[in-house]
Amino acid sequence: MPKKPFYITTPIYYPSGNPHIGHCYTTVACDSIARYKRMQGYDVMFLTGTDEHGLKIEQKAAEKGVTPKEYVDDIVKIFKDLWSYMNISYDRYIRTTDDYHIETVQKIFKALYDKGYIYKGEYSGKYCTPCESFWTESQLVDGKCPECGREVIEAKEEAYFFKMSPFADRIEKLLTETDYLRPKTRAVELVNNFIKPGLEDLCVSRTTFKWGIPVTFDDKHVVYVWIDALSNYISALGYANENFSDFEKFWPANVHMVAKDIMRFHAIIWPAMLMALDLPLPEHLAVHGWITFNGQKMSKSLGNVVDPFVLGERYGADAIRYHILREMALGADSSFSNEIMINRINSDLANGLGNLVSRTVAMVEKYFGGTLPEEKTSGEFDDSLISMASGLRAKVDEFVENTQLNNALAEIFSVISRANKYIDETAPWVLAKDEANRPRLACVLYNLLETIRICTSLLSAFMPSTMPKVWEQIGASESDVSYENAAKFGVLPANVTVHKGEGLFPRIDVEKEIEELNAIISQNAPKDEPEIEVEPLEPEITIDDFFKADLRVAKIVQCEKVKKSKKLLCSQLDDGMGGRQVVSGIAQWYQPEDLIGKKVIIVANLKPVKLCGVESNGMICCSDMPDGSAKVIFIDEDVPAGSKIR
C-alpha cells in the first residue's frame, strides 16, 4: 500500500541579509513536523527556499558592486549552511531565480491575464527620482525617501493589477467557516481589516526596476512580489513546468507555516490566486508570532540578532531547537533572552532529560554491572509511570497534528519529570542494600529505561542529533525506537545492557554564560548609536500636577485602520473599567496585528475628541525615536489591565 503524502512548507525567506534566530523558528518547526510525519509513515515533501527578486536586492547588490544573482548566491549559501547545521531535513529547496520557477510564474501570470483577472492600470504613489523608486506614505521618513532622504514627488507608473474583489466572499468563508487559519482567532482581524472594507486590487508588476521575472507579453514589466513568491509552493512540485512531477501527488499542501507579518498575503492573496487558477486550496495556514528581544521584534536593523551559529556552537543545535520550539505558542510572540534560554536548557535538558538518562544508566551499571537480570518484581508507583508513558504518543500525535509543538514538548517533558520523581519514590539506592530486593530494583530500572525509550523516540523529531546518543546508552536498537513501539511499554529486552556515555547536556553556569554572551552581543552591536536631539524639559510641575494625568495599563483587544486617514489606528482597549476606544497616530509604524494582545500605557482621563470623525477616549503613550518615528511603550503581560501608573 503506498504511503499517504504529506506536504509542508516554510515561507521562502528574503535574502537581503544573513539568517537569524527568527528564521530558525519557522524552519525548525516545519522540520520537526516533517520528521514526525515520516516517523508515522507518511511520504513527506518538506519545502523551503529563498525569495530572491525585487528592488531591495537590486540595490544591495549595487552597493556591493556585484550582480543581483551573485549577491543572492552568497546569502543563500549561508542559509543552506545554517539549515545543515540545524539538521533541517528539507526535501526540496526552491530559489525564485530557478529557471523552472520563472517558467511557472510567467505561465501563471499569463493565465490570470487571459482569464481577465489581471489588467493593466496605473500605480500611484510617492516617487524618488534619484532612487527610481515608489514609496507608500507610511514608508516615508519625515515625508522623504527612506533610502536617500531626498524629497519625493507624486508620480504614477504603469502597472498590472490582480482583481481581488471577485474572491472576497469565498475567502471570508474560508477564514471564518473552516479551520484553514491556525489559530482561527486571527480570522476576525483579517476579515474586519481587509475584507469588510473591500478588497483592494493587488499591484503585480513594476517597471522601475529590472531584477524580477519578465512579463512575457509586455517586456517593460517585471512580476512584482506576491505572484512570484507565492507561486513557489506549486512551482516546486512541477506545476506549469517539467522540472518536477509531484503536483498531483502532494497538492494541496497540508500545512503552510508563516510568521504573522506575512499572514495576510497567505490568508487572502494566495487563496485568491488559487481560486482564480481553479486549483484546490491548502488545508492549513499555521501562523506563529515573532521571537522578540527585549520586547522588540527581532530584526537585523535593530542590532539585536543573536547569531544562531554562535548559539549552536555553545550549546548544540538540539538545545537551540528545543528552546525555540518550547517557548513559542502558535499565534503568540515569544520573548528571547540569554537568561530564559540558559535556564530552559538547565532545567529541562540538563536537570530533566540529561539527569534522568545519566542516573538511570549509572544505577544499572553500579547495581547490575550494566545488564539487567530477567527476574523482576512489580511494585508501588509502577502503574502511574507506565500509564503516562504508554499514553504519551497519542497526546503528542494530537498536538503535532494541530501544529502546537510547544504543547507536544511540554507533554513529553511532563513524563520525563514523572520519571525523575519515580526515582525518588522508589529509592533504588535503598533497594540495593538488600539482596532480596534485586528483582524489584531491576523492575524499577527497567521501567525507567522504557520510559526514556518512549520519550526519546518521540523527541527524535524535535532533537534529531542527541536522541541516538541516548538510545546507545540505554541499549535500544533501531527497531526498539520506532513510532509503532512508542505506544508500547516493555519493548526493550528484559536483560537489556546499557553503555554509559558522556553527559548529554552539561549544566551551564548562568551568570558566567550571560556575561560572555553579553560581551559577544556588545562586540556585534552597532558602533555608532544614532544621535537624538534631546528636547528641552517642560516647565517644572508639582507632584499634584503629575497626578492630574491618570495613567493606566490597558490591553489592546481589537485594532483597525481609520478609513479616512493614513496615519490613524483605532484600538478597542480592555482598561479594567468596561473598555474604551482610543485613536492613535501610529499607523505609519505599526500594523493593527502588531498591537492586538499587547498591553500599553494610556492617559485615561484625557478629554474625548474626534479624529477624522472617530471618537477617541484617551491616548496611548509612545516614545520619540532618533529617526522621527514613534515607538509604543509596551507593558509586561502580568500587569493587570486597569493598573494605575505612578
Side-chain angles (χ1 to χ4, degrees):
M1 184 176 175
K3 292 182 177 180
K4 189 176 178 182
F6 182 86
Y7 183 30
I8 185 168
T9 72
T10 71
I12 50 173
Y13 303 111
Y14 199 59
S16 59
N18 291 340
H20 55 67
I21 199 75
H23 295 104
C24 286
Y25 175 79
T26 324
T27 315
V28 168
C30 287
D31 179 68
S32 299
I33 295 171
R35 287 177 179 275
Y36 200 87
K37 288 296 179 179
R38 292 189 196 107
M39 282 170 47
Q40 290 179 311
Y42 285 83
D43 186 357
V44 172
M45 173 63 72
F46 169 24
L47 176 71
T48 190
T50 32
D51 173 15
E52 301 178 14
H53 291 126
L55 176 64
K56 195 169 185 179
I57 297 292
E58 192 174 75
Q59 292 173 335
K60 289 268 188 181
E63 289 170 11
K64 288 185 170 288
V66 298
T67 67
K69 185 63 165 60
E70 288 171 334
Y71 176 80
V72 294
D73 282 349
D74 288 343
I75 303 292
V76 167
K77 183 181 183 303
I78 297 171
F79 269 90
K80 286 188 172 182
D81 286 347
L82 178 59
W83 299 155
S84 175
Y85 188 74
M86 297 296 293
N87 286 300
I88 304 301
S89 62
Y90 59 81
D91 297 289
R92 200 158 288 169
Y93 190 103
I94 187 169
R95 301 178 60 179
T96 55
T97 50
D98 290 334
D99 290 343
Y100 72 87
H101 175 75
I102 292 170
E103 178 186 354
T104 294
V105 170
Q106 289 177 326
K107 288 179 178 177
I108 287 175
F109 197 98
K110 182 65 163 60
L112 295 175
Y113 179 78
D114 290 343
K115 285 170 172 273
Y117 291 121
I118 285 180
Y119 64 93
K120 186 183 282 189
E122 278 189 330
Y123 182 84
S124 61
K126 307 294 183 180
Y127 187 71
C128 175
T129 304
C131 293
E132 297 183 349
S133 301
F134 274 94
W135 304 102
T136 62
E137 187 80 40
S138 64
Q139 290 173 317
L140 300 179
V141 176
D142 292 332
K144 297 178 181 178
C145 174
E147 291 290 338
C148 69
R150 294 181 175 91
E151 296 292 335
V152 295
I153 58 172
E154 285 286 347
K156 294 182 179 179
E157 173 191 339
E158 181 182 274
Y160 286 93
F161 291 83
F162 174 52
K163 294 178 182 177
M164 296 289 293
S165 55
F167 311 104
D169 291 343
R170 288 174 64 188
I171 293 171
E172 182 172 350
K173 287 181 179 178
L174 174 71
L175 297 177
T176 58
E177 298 179 10
T178 76
D179 64 345
Y180 171 67
L181 188 63
R182 292 177 172 175
K184 195 172 178 177
T185 50
R186 291 194 173 275
V188 174
E189 67 186 83
L190 285 169
V191 171
N192 288 344
N193 292 341
F194 301 106
I195 297 178
K196 293 293 188 189
L199 276 180
E200 295 181 3
D201 291 348
L202 180 72
C203 178
V204 291
S205 82
R206 299 296 293 273
T207 61
T208 51
F209 58 89
K210 293 299 180 186
W211 182 239
I213 297 174
V215 175
T216 53
F217 52 89
D218 194 340
D219 59 9
K220 287 194 305 181
H221 292 257
V222 294
V223 179
Y224 183 50
V225 188
W226 292 109
I227 284 188
D228 179 1
L230 292 166
S231 296
N232 93 90
Y233 300 127
I234 53 179
S235 68
L237 299 178
Y239 179 81
N241 70 71
E242 296 183 358
N243 206 66
F244 298 109
S245 55
D246 303 305
F247 182 76
E248 294 296 330
K249 180 177 181 180
F250 286 107
W251 191 258
N254 298 86
V255 178
H256 290 316
M257 185 173 287
V258 301
K260 64 183 181 181
D261 52 345
I262 54 172
M263 167 180 66
R264 174 168 65 95
F265 309 106
H266 287 77
I268 296 177
I269 295 171
W270 181 224
M273 284 174 57
L274 293 169
M275 290 171 186
L277 293 167
D278 296 317
L279 293 177
L281 302 183
E283 288 183 14
H284 300 295
L285 174 65
V287 179
H288 64 78
W290 290 323
I291 294 180
T292 60
F293 192 94
N294 294 333
Q296 294 178 292
K297 179 189 174 186
M298 192 160 286
S299 159
K300 292 182 284 294
S301 62
L302 290 173
N304 60 18
V305 177
V306 179
D307 189 334
F309 285 108
V310 173
L311 296 178
E313 285 170 9
R314 299 183 78 86
Y315 317 118
D318 273 2
I320 307 307
R321 286 175 64 112
Y322 175 76
H323 172 68
I324 58 179
L325 292 177
R326 183 68 180 83
E327 287 294 320
M328 178 82 79
L330 190 69
D333 289 346
S334 166
S335 179
F336 184 94
S337 76
N338 299 334
E339 189 170 1
I340 292 172
M341 177 182 60
I342 295 163
N343 285 329
R344 173 70 73 184
I345 291 171
N346 279 345
S347 63
D348 291 9
L349 301 183
N351 294 350
L353 176 60
N355 189 42
L356 175 63
V357 173
S358 63
R359 290 172 79 189
T360 302
V361 171
M363 286 189 290
V364 175
E365 288 208 328
K366 180 178 180 180
Y367 301 136
F368 295 105
T371 301
L372 289 180
E374 296 200 15
E375 185 184 358
K376 297 178 179 65
T377 302
S378 300
E380 191 180 5
F381 308 115
D382 291 2
D383 289 346
S384 171
L385 178 65
I386 292 170
S387 175
M388 279 190 76
S390 301
L392 178 61
R393 193 189 79 175
K395 294 178 179 179
V396 174
D397 281 358
E398 184 176 356
F399 286 129
V400 172
E401 189 64 32
N402 291 305
T403 55
Q404 297 174 353
L405 302 186
N406 64 314
N407 290 335
L409 289 169
E411 203 65 50
I412 294 170
F413 274 80
S414 70
V415 177
I416 289 170
S417 177
R418 180 69 188 85
N420 275 313
K421 183 181 178 185
Y422 176 78
I423 293 176
D424 297 333
E425 291 170 336
T426 54
W429 50 90
V430 176
L431 294 173
K433 292 178 180 178
D434 188 342
E435 188 69 22
N437 290 330
R438 283 178 65 80
R440 176 61 186 143
L441 177 59
C443 181
V444 166
L445 296 178
Y446 181 82
N447 289 343
L448 289 168
L449 291 173
E450 270 294 272
T451 302
I452 293 168
R453 177 190 63 80
I454 289 171
C455 290
T456 55
S457 298
L458 300 172
L459 269 178
S460 64
F462 307 93
M463 305 170 70
S465 299
T466 308
M467 296 311 108
K469 298 175 185 177
V470 177
W471 302 334
E472 186 177 346
Q473 291 194 37
I474 66 171
S477 68
E478 188 175 338
S479 61
D480 292 338
V481 294
S482 67
Y483 173 78
E484 291 73 18
N485 282 332
K488 302 173 185 175
F489 202 93
V491 171
L492 288 172
N495 60 344
V496 62
T497 298
V498 301
H499 309 278
K500 191 173 183 180
E502 293 182 1
L504 301 172
F505 301 100
R507 185 169 174 79
I508 302 166
D509 182 322
V510 180
E511 289 188 11
K512 181 181 176 184
E513 188 65 16
I514 288 176
E515 189 176 317
E516 290 182 14
L517 278 176
N518 285 340
I520 292 171
I521 292 172
S522 297
Q523 289 170 10
N524 295 336
K527 302 303 179 190
D528 299 316
E529 189 157 330
E531 293 184 9
I532 181 170
E533 185 177 336
V534 180
E535 295 185 16
L537 290 173
E538 299 292 338
E540 287 184 350
I541 62 172
T542 68
I543 190 68
D544 293 331
D545 292 327
F546 172 77
F547 282 132
K548 289 178 182 177
D550 193 341
L551 303 180
R552 300 290 180 114
V553 174
K555 183 175 183 177
I556 301 176
V557 294
Q558 289 184 24
C559 185
E560 61 185 3
K561 292 182 178 178
V562 175
K563 291 181 181 178
K564 296 179 181 179
S565 171
K566 293 182 179 179
K567 295 184 178 180
L568 298 179
L569 292 180
C570 179
S571 301
Q572 305 300 324
L573 305 180
D574 172 10
D575 60 357
M577 297 174 281
R580 69 176 62 212
Q581 175 173 287
V582 171
V583 177
S584 309
I586 54 175
Q588 57 265 58
W589 304 296
Y590 291 91
Q591 293 295 319
E593 57 266 28
D594 298 338
L595 300 172
I596 294 172
K598 297 289 178 65
K599 287 186 176 175
V600 297
I601 299 172
I602 62 168
V603 183
N605 62 336
L606 204 60
K607 186 176 180 179
V609 295
K610 281 197 172 182
L611 302 174
C612 288
V614 181
E615 184 171 288
S616 179
N617 290 280
M619 181 174 68
I620 294 175
C621 294
C622 300
S623 60
D624 289 329
M625 301 302 291
D627 62 2
S629 65
K631 282 209 176 293
V632 175
I633 301 170
F634 295 117
I635 296 295
D636 288 345
E637 277 295 312
D638 55 357
V639 181
S643 300
K644 191 175 178 68
I645 304 292
R646 59 185 176 86

